[in-house]
Amino acid sequence: MPVYAQRSFEDLGTPLSGVTFCVVDLETTGGAADDTITEIGAIKLRYGETLGTFQTLVDPGRPVPAFIRLLTGIDDSMLVEAPQIDAVLPAFLEFLGGAVFVAHNARFDVSFLNAALTAADYSPLSNRVVDTAALARKILSGEVPNHKLATLATYLRCAHRPCHRAFADVLATADVLHTLIERVAGFGVTTLEELLAVSSTRIDGTFSKIEMTGDLPRRPGIYRFIGSTGKTLYVGKATDVRARVRSYFYGDPRSRIRDLLR
């Protein structure tokens, strides 16, 4: 009888129940590379419990454009006594700590924060990032007309709705995050590593088939993919059958694997 090595907790991944998420939203003077931050909102969460909040207006060092004033309601008079970003960054970085950075369209928020950090002689963010917009594209594909935060908050019946103010949008994003995590739990996604892998999957309609992997063993073995006619499509071997088979659904780049999954 074969003897299998016991897997460590590190091999199993980081359980989502123990992950600290920091949900962040920024308001800015615009979307161009030379625009700057006008407001930061953040909430730190673990297992649905609020650990702390952070919110501040930020002096952008320039007048707020008219269309931004109309969109956010933030005008120059509100920013007269606001701190500049250099004064805000130390407190924000301390609040963020090593938490997983969460944002809706996270590339936008991360790029603005990294630009501010670089200008102030800090290192760019090294936190792991979860993008709720990217998650929604995978998990809710075909269910919603678009993946805007307001659309998702309404469709998912979230308690909070966004309004283009940083902290209000953070609360809505946190609601969306929790609902999406509940959705993927139904596919057996229980670790941070699996959640991050879901975000990088290709949108091809095959991810829901990952449900078939739920009872696969976490030990060495040989596996087969079998088509609807009973024909063997693929045979492989792995030291962890469940992890290896599930990896195909996380966006394997090989075209033959994508065809196989279809």
Side-chain angles (χ1 to χ4, degrees):
M1 181 179 231
V3 178
Y4 302 119
Q6 183 175 356
R7 292 168 58 80
S8 68
F9 288 111
E10 288 78 9
D11 293 332
L12 297 175
T14 309
L16 287 171
S17 59
V19 174
T20 300
F21 294 102
C22 187
V23 186
V24 180
D25 184 77
L26 307 180
E27 299 301 330
T28 68
T29 57
D34 61 345
D35 280 305
T36 54
I37 298 168
T38 59
E39 188 175 31
I40 301 177
I43 185 169
K44 192 179 286 189
L45 305 160
R46 185 188 302 125
Y47 204 49
E49 178 185 353
T50 299
L51 304 180
T53 61
F54 183 96
Q55 52 184 318
T56 182
L57 291 167
V58 179
D59 178 4
R62 67 183 67 184
V64 179
F67 77 96
I68 295 294
R69 293 198 301 268
L70 291 173
L71 181 67
T72 66
I74 298 173
D75 59 32
D76 296 333
S77 64
M78 298 169 59
L79 303 174
V80 170
E81 297 183 0
Q84 294 187 340
I85 190 63
D86 288 5
V88 172
L89 287 174
F92 174 75
L93 291 174
E94 182 179 359
F95 179 81
L96 174 63
V100 175
F101 186 103
V102 180
H104 200 74
N105 294 315
R107 183 179 297 180
F108 176 89
D109 301 271
V110 171
S111 66
F112 269 90
L113 282 170
N114 279 341
L117 288 167
T118 300
D121 293 326
Y122 287 94
S123 299
L125 294 175
S126 59
N127 304 62
R128 287 184 284 189
V129 177
V130 170
D131 185 342
T132 50
L135 270 180
R137 290 187 188 100
K138 309 306 186 298
I139 300 165
L140 303 178
S141 179
E143 291 188 43
V144 288
N146 59 64
H147 301 93
K148 296 178 181 178
L149 183 57
T151 301
L152 297 177
T154 299
Y155 178 75
L156 298 174
R157 299 181 180 179
C158 295
H160 302 93
R161 303 297 166 88
C163 62
H164 296 291
R165 288 299 301 270
F167 195 69
D169 288 10
V170 156
L171 294 176
T173 302
D175 288 346
V176 169
L177 173 69
H178 288 147
T179 304
L180 294 178
I181 287 176
E182 289 175 3
R183 285 284 195 104
V184 295
F187 295 119
V189 175
T190 60
T191 69
L192 174 62
E193 290 75 16
E194 290 177 325
L195 185 69
L196 294 170
V198 170
S199 297
S200 63
T201 57
R202 297 175 183 272
I203 307 172
D204 58 7
T206 63
F207 180 71
S208 62
K209 295 180 183 180
I210 201 172
E211 291 179 319
M212 295 188 291
T213 69
D215 294 328
L216 292 178
R218 293 183 179 273
R219 61 175 185 266
I222 297 172
Y223 56 90
R224 287 192 300 161
F225 282 86
I226 301 174
S228 58
T229 63
K231 177 183 177 182
T232 296
L233 304 175
Y234 186 80
V235 178
K237 62 180 180 179
T239 56
D240 182 329
V241 170
R242 185 177 187 273
R244 182 68 186 101
V245 173
R246 287 174 70 84
S247 72
Y248 292 106
F249 297 90
Y250 293 147
D252 193 296
R254 294 171 290 179
S255 60
R256 66 188 179 93
I257 297 298
R258 294 200 298 272
D259 292 340
L260 179 152
L261 295 178
R262 293 190 190 99

